[in-house]
Structures are given as structure tokens and as C-alpha cells.
Amino acid sequence: NLVKVKAIDGVTLVRSGNVKITIDKVGKIVNVSGGGCPDVPYLNLKLKGENILKIPEEDTPKNLGYTLCAYTLNKAFEKAKTIALEGTK
């Protein structure tokens, strides 16, 4: 499995490959990092501070980025979204 999940101090870190997305308990994106691709800092700027449950499809990593990092980040994004949805139940 390419996606790994770890809960640390009230946040959930979801890693896919070498990129990571971190969300808090209500689904707010705290950080996006890793990968070494040129679009990761841009993705961090676009996504950080947003609630993962309220991000429209056109603003997901797979639609904002253009590298393998954006693709793998989207895998982590989808898993993090599932985790946030489960937390609202």
C-alpha cells in the first residue's frame, strides 16, 4: 500500500510515496510537504488552511499540479478526505 497514515498530537499525517498532507481533527489542511517537485510549494500555498471537505474537484492536487508528486499527493489527499469524513460522523 502506497498510502500510510499516522496520528500525532491532534493532527493526522497522510503520506503517499514521498509527499505528505497533514490535517487537523476538523479537516483543516495544516501542511503539504515533500516530494522535491516544483509544484509542491504551490500546492501547499493553495491547499494550506482550507478544509479538505470543502475543496472543489478543480482545486484538488491532481488538477492543480502537473508532476508525479501532485499525482501521489492526490492519493494522500483522497485518503485524508476519507479520514476527515469519518471524523464528522
Side-chain angles (χ1 to χ4, degrees):
N1 190 357
L2 186 65
V3 180
K4 306 289 183 191
V5 178
K6 186 170 188 173
I8 305 170
D9 296 331
V11 296
T12 303
L13 183 135
V14 184
R15 180 174 63 96
S16 177
N18 58 349
V19 292
K20 297 159 280 301
I21 188 166
T22 307
I23 59 170
D24 68 8
K25 292 181 181 188
V26 295
K28 181 179 171 186
I29 298 173
V30 177
N31 193 33
V32 174
S33 62
C37 298
D39 56 355
V40 172
Y42 172 73
L43 293 169
N44 184 49
L45 286 172
K46 292 292 282 182
L47 298 172
K48 187 176 174 184
E50 300 293 327
N51 187 306
I52 199 164
L53 299 175
K54 297 180 180 175
I55 294 175
E57 180 64 27
E58 61 269 10
D59 291 336
T60 60
K62 70 178 179 182
N63 291 321
L64 291 175
Y66 57 91
T67 64
L68 182 59
C69 294
Y71 173 79
T72 56
L73 180 63
N74 199 72
K75 298 289 186 192
F77 178 90
E78 292 299 327
K79 180 65 175 178
K81 191 172 182 177
T82 302
I83 292 167
L85 275 171
E86 290 171 358
T88 62
K89 293 180 183 177

